Amino acid sequence: MEIRKQSIEEFIKELSSRAPVPGGGGASALAGALGNSLGQMVANLTIGKKRYAQVEEEVLNLLSRMEEIQERFLRLADEDAKVFAPLAASYSLPSGTEEEKAYKAQVMEVNLLAASKVPMEMMKEALHMLDMLEFLGEQGSRLAVSDVGVGVQFIRTALSGAVMNVYINTKSMSDRETAEALNRQADEMLEEGLKKADTIYEMVRKGLRG
């Protein structure tokens, strides 16, 4: 069943079971979707208010983009489960002969790369969301600014969670050049995202604390 069609209770029950999916990747994507939803809420509470009329057009544009990213987070949650299935199966391929070993290695390499790319996409979407939450934290409704702070933490979780799935797959890749290229890209996104998330969160926290 697609994650979007599950109830919260169903997803949590499945996540806590022995089933291999959903796992950390799906949970990370869902965290991204939750952070995105909070951003959309802040945008909706900003639109139509005279106090924020000067930024309404930009907020409307952000809202449209967030709706698209929301869809991508949900799609990536399901895609994470889909790419894991063939990877898990490839570990069970026979390896008794040299030909079997070579075939197994080839199949695993393809599946490991596919399983690495999905969390990389999650990280990219998380970075886009942080840019939008930063704007909403500065220009959005002051009545909902605390929700920007909460949303940032969900997006931070999506980012720092997704990178774990990058690392665990690149670690097993035979093509170390490709693996290290993916790791470097993930490292850069993580560093950029954590710094931005913490900056936005502190801005919101200090503003609320007074």
Side-chain angles (χ1 to χ4, degrees), residues 181-194:
L182 289 169
N183 284 341
R184 284 193 298 272
Q185 187 178 356
D187 289 344
E188 289 170 3
M189 288 193 289
L190 182 66
E191 182 178 2
E192 177 188 348
L194 293 184

Side-chain angles (χ1 to χ4, degrees), residues 113 116-125 127-128 159 162-163 166-167 170 176-193:
L113 180 59
S116 300
K117 288 184 175 180
V118 173
M120 292 284 282
E121 288 300 313
M122 291 182 200
M123 295 181 77
K124 291 175 184 176
E125 300 301 347
L127 290 180
H128 294 323
L159 183 76
V163 80
V166 175
Y167 294 153
T170 56
R176 297 315 304 163
E177 184 177 349
T178 297
E180 289 308 318
L182 289 169
N183 284 341
R184 284 193 298 272
Q185 187 178 356
D187 289 344
E188 289 170 3
M189 288 193 289
L190 182 66
E191 182 178 2
E192 177 188 348

